[in-house]
Amino acid sequence: MTDTGFCLWFTGLSGAGKSTIANLVVDELRRRGHRVELLDGDEVREHLSKGLGFSKEDRDTNIRRIGFVASLLARNGVVAVTAAISPYRAVREEVRGWIERFVEIHVATPLEECEARDVKGLYAKARAGEIPEFTGVSDPYEPPAHPEIRVETSGRTPAESAAEVVAWLERAGLSPPR
Amino acid sequence: MTDTGFCLWFTGLSGAGKSTIANLVVDELRRRGHRVELLDGDEVREHLSKGLGFSKEDRDTNIRRIGFVASLLARNGVVAVTAAISPYRAVREEVRGWIERFVEIHVATPLEECEARDVKGLYAKARAGEIPEFTGVSDPYEPPAHPEIRVETSGRTPAESAAEVVAWLERAGLSPPR
């Protein structure tokens, strides 16, 4: 078992590929003997933030809750992986201050590409006015200024993007190569 | 490092001694090499449940959130220790169903004794009607029918009560003696 806890904080637009890439990274880290917990945006909303909406205040509260849980896991030797949109820079920086080894990963798929894929049909609904406060359409997304990792997904497979993240962790000494 | 995660779920009235005993157990388990996280009722309310009140519904939501976080920790090899009043039996049983090794510890200090001590002055306020829905006074406490451990604190020091808990964990094979 590898005993150093840290946090992989994925951020990016809806449909950018955060969960897909995060899941592949999780699989690889488990193969390497890390204890890993994935805190997915939707699951956490169900368990920790039911009743919260998508105003800036409610989004920030949701992100702080995810950050609190991630900090508990990371300080106990677990790799906490989060994959919520987390659109606001200030609260991401706040959470960074709580966690010793915090790795911010910007999944930088351009809006046009997320919208063209529209896997869940959410962008179409947002454009039709059926979803208010939709990040990238009617609510801002503030990209990280200095993320530890910036993943450009265009023209790359999710496996290639995940491999970039794992290679970064190797170089940073957080996950020794097998 | 000891790698088996489990949950120590303390329950009992306000002022029963839950946090005091839990803290002593936490200290001893850390000395033995366990990774341990204490989820105190007040701290969790601040970080996960701000805005929730003390109606049955809100209390149950708060307990489910503590239980969710405890389950994440326990399944990753951490000893999750909770010390919230958690007055309702049904939601405690619900949380038990989420966690493989769940140890319910009833700190069974009688109401009269909690009220006589009244460390935080809360019972006096509750009797004066200044705190509505106060467990044991104006809101029910449902003691566990079959807790793994029942701690009778009357005439015992907190250290003696904590030692009882640790001895139980030794017998259960969850914490080998030093």
Side-chain angles (χ1 to χ4, degrees):
Chain A
M1 276 289 168
T2 308
D3 267 349
T4 304
F6 52 91
C7 176
L8 299 184
W9 191 282
F10 286 84
T11 174
L13 295 166
S14 176
K18 299 181 298 300
S19 290
T20 307
I21 299 167
N23 270 295
L24 292 168
V25 172
V26 164
D27 289 345
E28 175 60 21
L29 292 179
R30 288 203 174 121
R31 273 192 291 272
R32 291 174 177 220
H34 296 270
R35 299 170 183 279
V36 188
E37 193 65 51
L38 177 63
L39 301 168
D40 195 77
D42 294 339
E43 192 201 11
V44 169
R45 277 207 171 247
E46 168 69 20
H47 287 289
L48 296 181
S49 295
K50 211 182 266 184
L52 292 181
F54 292 88
S55 67
K56 176 161 191 320
E57 191 186 347
D58 280 5
R59 284 180 191 267
D60 282 351
T61 299
N62 181 47
I63 293 305
R64 284 193 191 96
R65 288 181 186 170
I66 297 176
F68 173 66
V69 175
S71 75
L72 297 183
L73 290 164
R75 77 187 188 195
N76 283 292
V78 181
V79 180
V81 181
T82 74
I85 295 173
S86 47
Y88 296 114
R89 194 176 292 138
V91 74
R92 290 195 309 261
E93 288 303 303
E94 187 181 329
V95 169
R96 175 190 288 274
W98 303 344
I99 302 179
E100 193 179 348
R101 287 168 291 270
F102 183 86
V103 182
E104 192 176 27
I105 303 167
H106 181 203
V107 181
T109 312
L111 176 62
E112 303 66 41
E113 203 167 320
C114 296
E115 190 160 0
R117 296 185 202 159
D118 205 7
V119 185
K120 299 181 192 166
L122 296 174
Y123 285 94
K125 284 189 184 167
R127 292 289 176 196
E130 290 168 34
I131 309 177
E133 299 170 324
F134 191 81
T135 298
V137 174
S138 46
D139 215 58
Y141 178 78
E142 301 172 355
H146 304 290
E148 276 72 10
I149 308 175
R150 188 180 152 95
V151 178
E152 306 283 357
T153 62
S154 303
R156 285 199 182 85
T157 65
E160 286 167 337
S161 297
E164 276 185 61
V165 173
V166 173
W168 189 95
L169 295 172
E170 283 186 8
R171 289 196 301 275
L174 288 173
S175 182
R178 276 186 295 178
Chain B
M1 275 292 168
T2 307
D3 266 349
T4 305
F6 52 91
C7 176
L8 300 184
W9 191 282
F10 286 84
T11 174
L13 294 166
S14 176
K18 298 182 298 300
S19 290
T20 307
I21 298 167
N23 270 294
L24 292 169
V25 172
V26 164
D27 289 346
E28 174 60 20
L29 292 179
R30 288 204 174 122
R31 272 194 292 272
R32 291 175 177 218
H34 296 269
R35 299 170 183 279
V36 189
E37 194 64 51
L38 177 64
L39 302 168
D40 195 77
D42 295 338
E43 192 201 11
V44 170
R45 276 208 170 247
E46 167 69 20
H47 287 289
L48 296 182
S49 295
K50 212 182 266 183
L52 292 181
F54 292 87
S55 67
K56 177 165 191 313
E57 192 185 348
D58 280 5
R59 284 181 191 266
D60 282 351
T61 298
N62 181 47
I63 293 304
R64 284 194 190 97
R65 288 180 186 170
I66 297 175
F68 173 67
V69 175
S71 74
L72 296 183
L73 290 165
R75 75 186 188 197
N76 283 291
V78 181
V79 180
V81 182
T82 74
I85 295 172
S86 46
Y88 296 113
R89 193 177 293 140
V91 74
R92 291 195 310 262
E93 288 303 303
E94 188 182 328
V95 169
R96 175 189 288 274
W98 303 344
I99 302 180
E100 194 180 346
R101 287 168 289 270
F102 185 86
V103 182
E104 191 176 27
I105 303 167
H106 181 203
V107 182
T109 312
L111 176 62
E112 303 67 42
E113 203 167 319
C114 297
E115 190 158 359
R117 298 184 200 160
D118 205 6
V119 185
K120 301 180 190 167
L122 296 174
Y123 284 94
K125 284 188 183 168
R127 292 288 176 197
E130 291 168 35
I131 308 177
E133 298 169 325
F134 191 81
T135 298
V137 174
S138 45
D139 214 57
Y141 178 78
E142 301 172 356
H146 304 289
E148 276 72 11
I149 308 174
R150 190 180 150 94
V151 178
E152 307 283 356
T153 62
S154 304
R156 286 200 180 85
T157 66
E160 286 167 336
S161 296
E164 275 184 64
V165 173
V166 173
W168 189 96
L169 294 173
E170 282 186 9
R171 288 196 301 276
L174 288 173
S175 182
R178 276 186 297 178

